[in-house]
Amino acid sequence: MNSITLGNQGITQQNDITSETFYNHLEHTYLVTKNSALNNYLYFGYGDSKESAQIIHPSLNDLFEREIDETFYQNVRNKFNYYGLQSSLLTKSQKWEIHLQLHIHNEGETAKSRLFTETEENFDGYTNNLNIDNFFVAISNFLKFKFTQDNYLRGGISLKRSRFNSDEYLLKNANFAFRQKLKNKGVVRLGYSYKEELPGLQLLLPNYALNSYQDFISGSDDIKKLENSVFSLNYSLYNDIKGFSINASALHTITHSGYAQGAFTNENFIFNEFIPTSKGKNTLVNLIFTNYFSKLKLATKVETNQSFIQSPFSIDQTSELKLQNYSGDYSFSVSSYFDKWFNFSSGFAYRYSSSELKEETNSFETSKAFADFDIKIFESIKFNLNNELYVLNKENYTFMNANIVYEPKQSRWSGTVQLNNLLNEREYLLQSINSFKSYQKRISLVPVYALLSIKYRF
């Protein structure tokens, strides 16, 4: 289910927050033959969440041209209910698996939000009352062919007929996967999928809702299918004799149709919108290399994650610009797996993030070093010490935490003492990039403190 969320970001005081969610299902399976099974799955669910916030933000009075300073409030409520039936027939042979499925589903969802003051019941353009009704029938067919026990070819296609807010849509989905085990050289997996789906609540909000300390967000009344293609490649190798492993993967997503984020700003606020558009691509690359030194009982791990995102972006709802986001993570760690009383894990990590829009670039760097120590003092007493050093925007932050765990084997009692922020850091800098915006925020930290917990097992 989708929902809109009211952000606090340290400047709103939230209260009267209640939520309730209920899910259930019934399932029954009939065995038809030795190699076939018919499965029927009946499900239903209900959810209801409410949130009220008192917002202290002087600039809101300027935005709405209030003659006197007033306290603002925003109420948000989301409800959903759904029920459906899935019926599937699975047939197996020595080489083939055939999976036929019928899926019938009905759901209703609402999103309500209202910005107001004690003297103004609501503001035009800042009240949402969105209702979504969705009923669909889908038919799917999946095939899997095994060349050997480890190598296979798998594919599937599904057609979904949906009535979404009284309009009819035909949604098509397809996927393909191939797995090949290379003798003593690892396993290769190739995949492709094409997916069509309908937008969620946040993309369809008719008016603005306050989303964070300086952001408003709204959607579009134009219901547009979301269409994308995903190409995937994965390679893994586990060499037990030489004691190392490699895992590498790449995921490339092409957006054929969807919604682009648009924005315009004034002195204090950013107004985000979702506008129907096409184009966009996203590439994710991951590589992990782990090496085991069995004689020393040590393991080292090198890992990197790369993300390249290119998406359309609109500033004035007419011209379309190209927004590019990049992030790169690099880390190295060494860990021990001694049989005796002492073990450790330490390493460092580095991250670089940037965004570029219309030749304007925002970026930041984060570095981290850590060292963890586990000591078994007695059979029933264990001690853990955690040390972390962060370098953010040329500022250093050092944290030290400790745990003492008492777990006697023959007793029902156990206890833990947690010692946090032993170096008494008073604040911490948060950095992030969201679309074309770069954020920095300092948060106050709780001074050094201790927690004691005692457990009793019945």
Side-chain angles (χ1 to χ4, degrees), residues 56-329:
I56 302 173
H57 198 315
S59 298
L60 283 173
N61 286 281
D62 297 333
L63 177 66
F64 293 103
E65 300 178 348
R66 311 303 291 169
E67 294 182 358
I68 59 174
D69 288 345
E70 293 188 273
T71 300
F72 282 75
Y73 304 88
Q74 180 164 273
N75 291 342
V76 176
R77 184 174 187 180
N78 297 111
K79 295 176 64 176
F80 67 83
N81 66 83
Y82 61 85
Y83 55 89
L85 168 68
Q86 284 186 351
S87 183
S88 60
L89 175 64
L90 177 62
T91 303
K92 293 184 178 181
S93 67
Q94 189 174 0
K95 293 285 187 179
W96 288 91
E97 287 185 15
I98 302 175
H99 190 187
L100 300 174
Q101 185 180 86
L102 172 66
H103 188 188
I104 303 173
H105 176 90
N106 186 75
E107 68 180 44
E109 193 169 3
T110 63
K112 297 181 179 181
S113 64
R114 180 169 66 98
L115 188 68
F116 62 98
T117 66
E118 293 181 356
T119 61
E120 189 76 33
E121 247 185 65
N122 57 65
F123 295 92
D124 291 339
Y126 296 86
T127 298
N128 287 287
N129 190 4
L130 177 63
N131 294 282
I132 289 179
D133 294 307
N134 186 20
F135 172 80
F136 69 76
V137 177
I139 300 175
S140 307
N141 184 17
F142 301 95
L143 302 175
K144 181 178 180 180
F145 178 76
K146 290 184 178 181
F147 300 100
T148 64
Q149 187 64 28
D150 298 315
N151 304 325
Y152 61 78
L153 180 66
R154 183 179 63 204
I157 187 170
S158 68
L159 297 175
K160 180 189 295 184
R161 190 71 179 181
S162 179
R163 188 176 69 247
F164 191 85
N165 281 7
S166 301
D167 292 324
E168 298 288 339
Y169 298 88
L170 178 63
L171 306 176
K172 303 174 290 294
N173 292 271
N175 63 78
F176 161 85
F178 173 72
R179 182 186 190 272
Q180 176 69 46
K181 185 174 183 180
L182 308 174
K183 188 176 181 180
N184 300 324
K185 294 182 180 180
V187 178
V188 176
R189 300 175 183 86
L190 295 172
Y192 169 78
S193 67
Y194 174 80
K195 188 173 184 179
E196 295 182 352
E197 58 184 342
L198 294 171
L201 274 175
Q202 195 174 57
L203 298 176
L204 298 176
L205 288 178
N207 295 308
Y208 287 108
L210 187 62
N211 194 53
S212 74
Y213 76 103
Q214 72 175 88
D215 283 10
F216 288 92
I217 190 168
S218 75
S220 169
D221 56 3
D222 184 0
I223 298 175
K224 187 179 184 68
K225 287 195 298 186
L226 311 178
E227 303 175 42
N228 63 67
S229 296
V230 180
F231 301 85
S232 63
L233 171 65
N234 177 265
Y235 171 76
S236 59
L237 170 63
Y238 299 94
N239 192 319
D240 296 331
I241 298 175
K242 295 186 177 181
F244 70 88
S245 66
I246 300 173
N247 197 307
S249 61
L251 190 72
H252 183 66
T253 302
I254 300 175
T255 300
H256 306 290
S257 175
Y259 292 79
Q261 187 178 356
F264 64 91
T265 65
N266 63 14
E267 292 181 356
N268 301 298
F269 296 100
I270 300 171
F271 297 85
N272 297 287
E273 301 175 328
F274 290 100
I275 302 167
T277 187
S278 58
K279 307 174 187 175
K281 54 187 177 181
N282 178 3
T283 303
L284 304 175
V285 180
N286 170 259
L287 173 64
I288 303 174
F289 178 80
T290 306
N291 197 15
Y292 299 92
F293 301 91
S294 56
K295 292 183 178 180
L296 299 175
K297 293 192 175 181
L298 296 176
T300 61
K301 183 168 74 170
V302 179
E303 182 174 3
T304 180
N305 292 281
Q306 306 290 319
S307 172
F308 307 86
I309 301 174
Q310 187 179 102
S311 58
F313 194 88
S314 175
I315 294 180
D316 55 9
Q317 296 184 322
T318 54
S319 62
E320 195 171 280
L321 305 176
K322 184 169 63 176
L323 172 65
Q324 298 185 88
N325 287 322
Y326 166 76
S327 67
D329 295 271

Side-chain angles (χ1 to χ4, degrees), residues 8-10 213 428-432 439-443:
N8 54 15
Q9 299 294 327
Y213 76 103
Y428 184 71
L429 176 66
L430 292 178
Q431 299 181 106
S432 65
Y439 293 111
Q440 286 191 357
K441 182 175 67 173
R442 298 182 185 275
I443 59 174

